[in-house]
Amino acid sequence: MYEDKTSKVYAAYAKDELLRLSSSSGGVFSLLAEQILSQGGVVYGVALSSDCKSAEFIRVDQLRELFKLRGSKYLQAETGGTYDQVRADLEAGLKVLFSGVGCQINGLKLFLQRNYDNLFCVDVICHGVPSPVLWRKYVEHMQKQNEARLVLVNFRCKDKSWQDFGMKELDENKKEVYISKDADPFMQMFLRNYSLRPSCYECTAKK
Ligand SMILES: Cc1cc2nc3c(=O)[nH]c(=O)nc-3n(C[C@H](O)[C@H](O)[C@H](O)COP(=O)(O)OP(=O)(O)OC[C@H]3O[C@@H](n4cnc5c(N)ncnc54)[C@H](O)[C@@H]3O)c2cc1C
Ligand code: SF4
């Protein structure tokens, strides 16, 4: 039987249209992160690595760095030594916003083994995450095809429309490529659930 443990539900989106366009959904993540930063806190979330071949958790303590966390990167992110860093910030009394998919939030809570009043967790809605190896191979393929290194990727570019979104890639020669989600092989594999991790089919974070 379904048991509703939710105490309150709110729906919201950012009023700033530019912020919504540069976010994957309604931009609420950025609004929450701005609040924490304005109070001298720190924000943890997922950024693309500088070579674009992987996604990783990073710590942001400046508003001007927040853009790195904005937008979904549709591949499994490496947590690295982040949980240790989060604990150190919490013990130092800083307000910490930690954002990621549900299993990463659960992992952090298991790691910490206690509650902190200064910890704010934001888990994004997640139906599953693609293999990071597949993403690396996709980047290598694109780089070979274009004979240039990728320097920036927007997985959910809405320049055409919100419905007809696509992948926007910028290379080292400042050449921009837009590939509709219907034509991009990586997005097709993600959206059709061909490339999700086996663990996502036994996800306990959503139970
Ligand atoms: C793997 C994945 C699966 C998703 N599946 C769904 C879905 O099934 N249905 C749906 O409605 N939305 C899905 N989303 C979109 C996600 O729920 C929205 O990004 C979220 O609603 C936040 O939107 P925003 O506009 O507030 O912030 P945005 O600025 O778009 O998102 C930024 C946030 O996403 C986090 N993030 C980005 N990439 C990753 C990553 N690889 N791993 C963990 N966290 C990441 C950042 O840390 C930050 O908290 C998925 C996102 C990801 C990364
Ligand atoms: S295990 Fe669950 S929360 Fe984690 S990536 Fe897979 S579907 Fe998302």
Side-chain angles (χ1 to χ4, degrees):
M1 193 177 76
Y2 175 69
E3 191 189 348
D4 186 3
K5 296 183 191 149
T6 312
S7 49
K8 280 183 183 157
V9 176
Y10 297 94
Y13 62 84
K15 285 185 178 171
D16 180 341
E17 196 184 355
L18 280 180
L19 179 57
R20 285 204 307 276
L21 283 171
S22 58
S23 304
S24 289
S25 304
V28 169
F29 160 73
S30 292
L31 300 182
L32 297 172
E34 281 170 19
Q35 270 300 314
I36 295 290
L37 292 175
S38 72
Q39 293 169 37
V42 294
V43 177
Y44 287 84
V46 174
L48 216 51
S49 62
S50 53
D51 65 3
C52 290
K53 288 184 182 175
S54 60
E56 59 199 14
F57 275 84
I58 63 163
R59 177 185 189 272
V60 164
D61 58 9
Q62 308 275 329
L63 203 54
R64 63 170 182 272
E65 300 285 306
L66 199 55
F67 75 94
K68 294 179 182 170
L69 307 184
R70 202 168 288 135
S72 296
K73 292 89 188 172
Y74 295 124
L75 63 144
Q76 189 174 26
E78 291 165 21
T79 49
T82 303
Y83 291 168
D84 269 322
Q85 260 185 306
V86 170
R87 180 157 59 194
D89 282 336
L90 290 169
E91 291 292 335
L94 289 174
K95 275 192 181 170
V96 174
L97 187 148
F98 186 90
S99 66
V101 290
C103 57
Q104 292 157 341
I105 306 279
N106 286 357
L108 173 68
K109 288 182 176 171
L110 279 171
F111 174 84
L112 293 173
Q113 293 281 313
R114 55 157 286 204
N115 292 326
Y116 287 87
D117 290 340
N118 47 337
L119 173 63
F120 300 85
C121 292
V122 176
D123 59 313
V124 302
I125 293 173
C126 171
H127 71 286
V129 74
S131 151
V133 174
L134 185 69
W135 172 253
R136 183 165 45 75
K137 288 188 172 168
Y138 169 85
V139 171
E140 285 166 358
H141 167 76
M142 295 306 286
Q143 296 189 153
K144 204 171 164 192
Q145 187 174 285
N146 300 331
E147 294 177 344
R149 275 186 312 110
L150 286 184
V151 293
L152 217 65
V153 178
N154 179 352
F155 288 74
R156 207 178 181 93
C157 171
K158 301 184 284 274
D159 286 357
K160 279 184 99 178
S161 79
W162 275 73
Q163 286 77 26
D164 186 13
F165 67 89
M167 190 92 93
K168 189 149 97 177
E169 300 168 354
L170 179 74
D171 73 21
E172 58 188 331
N173 304 322
K174 298 198 169 36
K175 190 177 151 211
E176 219 170 62
V177 177
Y178 172 86
I179 313 168
S180 160
K181 69 174 187 335
D182 301 319
D184 185 79
F186 186 84
M187 280 309 287
Q188 277 300 301
M189 281 191 270
F190 174 53
L191 296 172
R192 290 171 187 238
N193 295 339
Y194 294 163
S195 58
L196 307 183
R197 310 305 330 255
S199 50
C200 296
Y201 293 92
E202 291 170 36
C203 176
T204 52
K206 296 195 288 279
K207 283 187 179 157

